[in-house]
Amino acid sequence: MGQLNAGIVPVTAFQQNCTILFDMDDRQGVVVDPGGDIDKVLAALKDNAINAGAIWITHGHIDHAGGAMELKETLGIEIIGPHEADRPLLANLENQAKHYGITDPVRNCVPARFLSEGDTVSFGQHAFEVLHCPGHAPGHVVYYNRAAKFAHVGDVLFRGSVGRTDLPGGDHAALIASIKDKLLPLGDDIGFICGHGPGGRFGEERRSNPFLI
């Protein structure tokens, strides 16, 4: 098994961190949260000779799932996740686009399967535990690789901040509980990539994030 690596492709006006997780040796991987600008995502896969075998979604907001169907059909791969509680959001992506004045093609998203707490998803020999972390969105999931001490946390946690909870289905108390009860106990040394901006380590957020103190 080669080393797990990650590349970030910032997409759309939301500057969302579409993330390509891949094995350094065999170049197999997955695309996490293709929110749009699929031409950029495809170029990154081609330029780095990465074969994406699936699309993983953290939650159903347009900046994370808006380009999923286009990428699915272009590559002929499945969409996996998030939790079924985000089914209504995924079925409403086209209306989300109208709300934000987005003119790029956006289609409602239909995953091959939804995920639940305790599920495992993988590519090659890289296995990720699924944590259901509601608060920012009802069906938000986090992908955690125990061996690499790494988590993709989507919009649950940011460096120095947390996900917004003023959108439909948001719940601030649930968000903080997701972070404190599910993420931080994984350990201070867990590195994370988030949905926007720079990532970090759980320990630094536990010590200094003003929303968690």
Side-chain angles (χ1 to χ4, degrees):
M1 178 173 65
Q3 179 182 348
L4 175 66
N5 206 346
I8 292 174
V9 184
V11 296
T12 76
F14 295 103
Q15 287 296 284
Q16 192 273 125
N17 291 333
C18 176
T19 304
I20 301 171
L21 302 174
F22 64 100
D23 184 283
M24 285 290 290
D25 286 353
D26 66 15
R27 316 303 284 184
Q28 301 298 307
V30 295
V31 177
V32 182
D33 288 354
D37 292 338
I38 297 305
D39 56 335
K40 295 182 181 179
V41 180
L42 293 170
L45 292 170
K46 181 179 180 181
D47 291 347
N48 293 280
I50 296 169
N51 179 33
I55 298 162
W56 296 353
I57 304 294
T58 62
H59 65 291
H61 290 157
I62 190 168
D63 53 331
H64 292 256
M69 291 297 284
E70 180 183 350
L71 186 62
K72 167 192 169 167
E73 294 182 354
T74 301
L75 296 180
I77 57 179
E78 290 187 337
I79 300 170
I80 299 173
H83 186 279
E84 191 166 11
D86 268 12
R87 183 192 292 269
L89 289 174
L90 294 173
N92 197 46
L93 289 174
E94 293 168 17
N95 285 331
Q96 288 186 51
K98 293 176 184 177
H99 174 77
Y100 287 107
I102 296 171
T103 57
D104 291 340
V106 172
R107 290 165 50 206
N108 296 335
C109 180
V110 183
R113 65 184 174 105
F114 288 100
L115 297 171
S116 299
E117 177 82 16
D119 285 350
T120 300
V121 293
S122 62
F123 61 90
Q125 297 183 51
H126 299 286
F128 289 74
E129 299 169 38
V130 175
L131 305 174
H132 180 210
C133 294
H136 175 67
H140 200 303
V141 297
V142 165
Y143 299 101
Y144 169 52
N145 186 289
R146 190 175 296 271
K149 296 184 176 181
F150 164 78
H152 193 299
V153 301
D155 283 1
V156 173
L157 178 68
F158 299 109
R159 183 185 290 186
S161 188
V162 297
R164 60 187 295 185
T165 55
D166 58 336
L167 299 170
D171 183 326
H172 185 76
L175 178 74
I176 299 303
S178 290
I179 296 169
K180 290 187 173 182
D181 297 345
K182 293 188 179 182
L183 299 187
L184 298 187
L186 296 175
D188 284 359
D189 57 345
I190 304 301
F192 68 88
I193 287 175
C194 46
H196 307 264
R201 293 195 180 276
F202 286 170
E204 182 61 28
E205 301 312 310
R206 181 182 59 79
R207 290 185 291 267
S208 65
N209 190 310
F211 293 91
L212 304 177
I213 296 174

